[in-house]
Amino acid sequence: MKSLKLIAFLLTGSILMNACTEDDPIVNTPDPAIKALLTGDITENKTYTANDTVSLVGYVYVKSGATLTFESGTIIKSDIASKGALIIERGAKLVCNGTQDKPVVFTSGKPINERQPGDWGGIILLGKAPTNRTTEPIIEGGVVKPYGGTDANDNSGSLRYVRIEYAGIAAEPGSEINGLTLGGVGSGTVLENIMVAYANDDAFEFFGGTVNAKNLIAFATSDDDFDFDFGYTGRIQYAIAFRDPAIDDSDAGNGVESDNDGTGTSATPFTLPTLSNFTWIGPNGAANTAPNLNFANRWRRGTKFSVHNSILMGFPKGGFVIDGESTALAYSNGESQFKSNIVQASTFPFKSVGNTVYINDQQLEDKAILDGCLKFNTSVQIGLTNISNLNAPNFKPAANSPALTGANFTGLNSFFTVGTFRGAIGASDWTTGWTNFNPQTTVY
């Protein structure tokens, strides 16, 4: 039997010492559901099962060569006082192979009706795939760990059927931990069926890397739903961004925010995400819409992009937005693509900013229409079944919805599953069974 470690608690129940190992006796904790404690550095393989409701204490680092595994049905609650975060360093792996009926859940340690965005840090995956930085980058969020390299096929593990709730903290202004932060993560990593709910910053942020993903959900995000930087070149199919009208921070949240880098240089590889079958849903003019909620897609600072077969709807300040000269040039000359999409916004469904290529919004719209896009004046015309209920949405296209047809996969590679519908969901609803749009009242 491994040596026991002393576990001490403040009167509030905060944990001061390292966690017990798996074959230590269970201790009395303030939360009677907690069966195991996770803290400090993980230097060897470690596995938790659905029988181990886990408390994540402080910043936990999985070191190179180690694999941390959470089996299907495992619940991981963050310690509130220490605002836990899970950092998978280069050369380490995180394996969370949940199932549709037993997802792996990372959530707040607070009881029902007390949970808030920012109750804990979030998950950071760091890999060895390329970025466009000339010196080794350090991931933001106060963890001071490097990422990136030359191995485009690097493997940081597998996340299938995973929920991440109430994460996101700012270590300092402009340096945050998101719901799921990915730094230089390679294409050997599996990301499928992941939901980030009530993130206090971005839901998903990709700093460089080549990782691909399917079936992602960003729900009630405070800042950006999907953020791409530093040369990310991966592919994503089937994703939903669904905004809570009342939630936004002071940084103008977008469905997508994408930059080549912070100053828009021509560093290579260029940031160029290839996206198909996304559904971005803004508040559709709700009376309580937060004033800083911004655009469905904001492509800026020299980024390139490829967006296909998707729905952009309901964002208050704009739908498809081209921002800056170099971004506009790349779209004009075909290096970037925006094809076969459905676009609607409260104002400016197509918006051109800061460039001489598309000197007005109509020119931008005209190009999109020629590339198979449709524009609608109201979200009702797009015909999704029920997006008015935040706690129980239904994203499937209703009968006669224009989203049921019109998809075009010409030029997309074999990663993308070919279908006829536009948006994230067609006749089959992949969100069923494992998602939770009302985690505030869920007893864990």
Side-chain angles (χ1 to χ4, degrees):
M1 184 175 187
K2 299 177 182 177
S3 61
L4 298 179
K5 298 178 181 178
L6 177 63
I7 301 175
F9 292 86
L10 294 174
L11 292 177
T12 59
S14 296
I15 301 162
L16 301 179
M17 304 296 289
N18 285 341
C20 292
T21 56
E22 292 154 19
D23 47 5
D24 284 317
I26 296 172
V27 298
N28 293 320
T29 66
D31 182 347
I34 297 299
K35 302 289 178 60
L37 309 176
L38 181 60
T39 190
D41 291 346
I42 307 301
T43 58
E44 58 185 24
N45 294 348
K46 196 173 188 69
T47 298
Y48 293 97
T49 73
N51 295 322
D52 301 317
T53 298
V54 180
S55 179
L56 177 67
V57 184
Y59 281 20
V60 174
Y61 295 87
V62 183
K63 312 300 283 188
S64 180
T67 297
L68 177 62
T69 300
F70 297 103
E71 294 184 354
S72 61
T74 307
I75 307 296
I76 303 93
K77 300 182 182 182
S78 175
D79 173 66
I80 296 303
S82 64
K83 287 189 179 288
L86 183 58
I87 300 98
I88 313 303
E89 297 189 28
R90 288 188 300 190
K93 293 181 181 179
L94 175 64
V95 176
C96 301
N97 285 332
T99 61
Q100 189 169 20
D101 59 342
K102 293 181 179 180
V104 175
V105 180
F106 296 84
T107 192
S108 167
K110 289 182 179 177
I112 61 171
N113 298 318
E114 295 182 19
R115 298 162 187 159
Q116 295 179 330
D119 277 347
W120 65 290
I123 299 174
I124 298 175
L125 291 184
L126 303 177
K128 302 177 183 179
T131 74
N132 62 18
R133 301 296 82 197
T134 56
T135 59
E136 186 172 71
I138 302 298
I139 200 66
E140 63 179 34
V143 302
V144 196
K145 295 294 180 181
Y147 65 94
T150 59
D151 185 0
N153 299 315
D154 187 42
N155 182 352
S156 294
S158 173
L159 278 68
R160 290 186 174 98
Y161 291 104
V162 174
R163 296 205 307 263
I164 303 169
E165 302 169 349
Y166 299 104
I169 58 175
E172 56 191 43
S175 181
E176 302 88 6
I177 299 178
N178 308 288
L180 180 59
T181 304
L182 302 117
V185 176
S187 61
T189 309
V190 176
L191 302 178
E192 295 177 356
N193 296 286
I194 303 171
M195 180 179 190
V196 177
Y198 292 98
N200 195 44
D201 194 63
D202 299 339
F204 300 89
E205 183 155 14
F206 298 77
F207 292 94
T210 56
V211 66
N212 305 313
K214 287 192 176 183
N215 298 1
L216 305 182
I217 301 174
F219 173 55
T221 309
S222 292
D223 194 10
D224 303 314
D225 296 300
F226 297 89
D227 197 331
F228 306 108
D229 303 279
F230 291 173
Y232 172 69
T233 57
R235 306 173 182 90
I236 306 174
Q237 187 178 23
Y238 308 128
I240 295 168
F242 187 42
R243 306 296 296 217
D244 183 326
I247 294 179
D248 192 50
D249 66 6
S250 60
D251 196 31
N254 303 286
V256 162
E257 183 174 276
S258 186
D259 308 310
N260 198 44
D261 56 27
T263 57
T265 73
S266 57
T268 57
F270 279 95
T271 301
L272 202 173
T274 302
L275 315 177
S276 183
N277 297 99
F278 271 60
T279 299
W280 290 279
I281 302 174
N284 293 297
N288 62 335
T289 298
N292 291 309
L293 189 56
N294 217 22
F295 308 122
N297 281 196
R298 187 180 191 182
W299 305 101
R300 66 177 189 178
R301 294 177 180 167
T303 191
K304 300 178 183 180
F305 57 86
S306 185
V307 182
H308 305 256
N309 309 318
S310 295
I311 298 172
L312 297 72
M313 59 185 291
F315 278 75
K317 297 180 183 178
F320 173 54
V321 180
I322 293 287
D323 189 342
E325 190 79 15
S326 58
T327 309
L329 283 170
Y331 180 48
S332 176
N333 66 24
E335 294 177 88
S336 295
Q337 297 182 341
F338 187 80
K339 294 184 175 182
S340 303
N341 301 302
I342 292 174
V343 182
Q344 183 273 332
S346 301
T347 58
F348 303 112
F350 298 89
K351 187 174 182 62
S352 178
V353 179
N355 68 85
T356 60
V357 182
Y358 303 100
I359 58 175
N360 60 54
D361 301 342
Q362 188 62 52
Q363 291 174 325
L364 191 64
E365 178 180 332
D366 290 345
K367 176 171 171 50
I369 299 301
L370 285 173
D371 285 334
C373 295
L374 300 177
K375 173 189 168 183
F376 290 95
N377 294 322
T378 70
S379 60
V380 173
Q381 293 173 303
I382 298 174
L384 301 190
T385 300
N386 181 6
I387 55 172
S388 61
N389 186 344
L390 282 176
N391 294 333
N394 187 336
F395 305 105
K396 292 176 65 174
N400 300 318
S401 167
L404 288 170
T405 60
N408 187 336
F409 288 82
T410 302
L412 296 177
N413 77 1
S414 60
F415 168 81
F416 293 96
T417 302
V418 175
T420 60
F421 62 90
R422 296 188 252 200
I425 294 175
S428 177
D429 188 352
W430 51 263
T431 70
T432 302
W434 64 278
T435 58
N436 186 355
F437 290 91
N438 190 19
Q440 187 62 258
T441 60
T442 302
V443 177
Y444 291 115

